[in-house]
């Protein structure tokens, strides 16, 4: 009955300390390292500001030190505690934690927030489970409230992922391919259709694992309206007008098809032949002869490289000059 409850013996205590994933060091009052749970303690060449403060004040202290390592830096978080005997400091216990990754994460977040505040388009981060984890200042203004929730609910106002409604889902595309993509969504809001251009980029961790996507959203409804008006004007023009993106014919007005007596497929081949001489973005202006059912006709051809929705395109402009 008089036997005291036995505490952990020294061997068990040492094993427990040695198993910790952070560094534990013990110093005497002359700052000599008398114990470390690491074979090569980082404390040997480290700053001792916290240690000195604890020896001076008899209280715990904490410092954060950054050291150059390779092309970056390592950040060590140090906390010291006094061990006292008869009210005096007899030793100091130091805990050292590597907080490099935490600090890098904080810096990345600060950089992302600073960068996104400078971008006028809406920028959002979406994880693999459709959760919006971040949006920039433009997103807060656009959504008129906190940017938290499922992307399809918050960004599109629907109750299920957009791919279930037949729309192209940027999250699904990026998660499947691991590459960036560009899609367009049409959303009905207050009886009006809004068209959004969505550029999605893969978001990865340090090991290259896909975590989700970063989306940049732009409302291009007004741009599309202007394009429709321009298309209507061009469509009724007395000159033949076609637009080529690479080898693909994206537009040809009726006058172009009538003048050249071609189908859209044949018009694409004709345009490809006409623009093959375009070099260094120069405008080509020359007259060519084209065979038609009316005989050979002379056509003045102007080929002008133009930007089209961040893509390179060529405008092929035809004016009928004469008939043989």
């Amino acid at each position: 009955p008089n036997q005291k409850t036995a505490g952990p013996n020294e061997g068990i205590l040492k094993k427990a300390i040695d198993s910790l994933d952070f560094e534990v060091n013990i110093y005497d009052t002359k700052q000599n390292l008398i114990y470390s749970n690491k074979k090569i303690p980082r404390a040997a060449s480290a700053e001792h500001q916290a240690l000195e403060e604890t020896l001076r004040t008899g209280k715990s202290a904490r410092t954060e030190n950054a050291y150059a390592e390779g092309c970056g830096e390592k950040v060590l978080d140090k906390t010291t505690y006094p061990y006292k005997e008869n009210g005096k400091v007899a030793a100091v216990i130091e805990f050292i934690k590597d907080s490099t990754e935490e600090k890098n994460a904080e810096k990345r977040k600060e950089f992302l927030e600073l960068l996104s505040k400078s971008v006028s388009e809406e920028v959002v981060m979406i994880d693999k489970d459709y959760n919006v984890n971040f949006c920039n200042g433009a997103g807060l203004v656009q959504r008129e409230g906190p940017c938290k929730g499922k992307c399809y609910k918050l960004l599109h106002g629907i109750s299920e992922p957009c791919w279930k409604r037949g729309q192209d889902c940027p999250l699904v595309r990026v998660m499947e391919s691991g590459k960036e993509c560009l899609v367009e969504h049409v959303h009905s809001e207050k009886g009006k259709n809004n068209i959004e251009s969505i550029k999605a980029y893969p978001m990865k961790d340090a090991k290259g694992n896909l975590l989700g996507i970063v989306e940049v959203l732009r409302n291009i409804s007004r741009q599309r309206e202007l394009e429709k008006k321009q298309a209507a004007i061009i469509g009724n023009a007395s000159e033949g007008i076609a637009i080529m993106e690479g080898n693909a014919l994206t537009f040809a007005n009726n006058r172009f098809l009538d003048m050249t007596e071609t189908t859209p497929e044949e018009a694409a081949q004709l345009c490809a032949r006409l623009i093959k001489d375009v070099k260094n973005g120069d405008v080509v202006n020359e007259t060519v002869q084209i065979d038609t059912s009316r005989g050979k006709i002379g056509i003045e051809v102007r080929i002008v490289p133009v930007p089209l929705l961040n893509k390179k395109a060529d405008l092929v402009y035809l004016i009928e000059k004469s008939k043989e």
Side-chain angles (χ1 to χ4, degrees), residues 272-308:
R273 291 199 303 271
L274 292 174
I275 66 176
K276 68 179 181 180
D277 294 328
V278 176
K279 297 179 181 179
N280 301 321
D282 295 331
V283 175
V284 171
N285 187 350
E286 60 184 43
T287 300
V288 299
Q289 298 292 319
I290 296 179
D291 289 319
T292 70
S293 62
R294 297 165 288 156
K296 283 190 176 182
I297 61 172
I299 294 180
E300 181 183 337
V301 180
R302 295 180 184 178
I303 301 174
V304 185
V306 293
L308 183 66

Side-chain angles (χ1 to χ4, degrees), residues 139-176:
L140 290 171
V141 172
Q142 178 74 13
R143 305 302 160 189
E144 299 179 348
C147 280
K148 291 292 182 181
K150 298 295 184 181
C151 59
Y152 47 83
K153 176 70 174 178
L154 182 66
L155 304 179
H156 311 312
I158 56 179
S159 59
E160 58 187 354
C162 52
W163 60 267
K164 291 187 177 181
R165 300 197 175 193
Q167 289 195 323
D168 203 358
C169 177
L171 177 61
V172 171
R173 283 187 56 179
V174 172
M175 295 305 295
E176 288 179 348

Side-chain angles (χ1 to χ4, degrees), residues 49 79 141-142 146 187 195 201 211 228 309-310 317 324:
Q49 184 179 347
T79 306
V141 172
Q142 178 74 13
H187 304 128
I195 305 173
Y201 302 87
L211 303 177
K228 285 183 179 180
L309 292 177
N310 299 322
Y317 187 82
E324 286 187 356

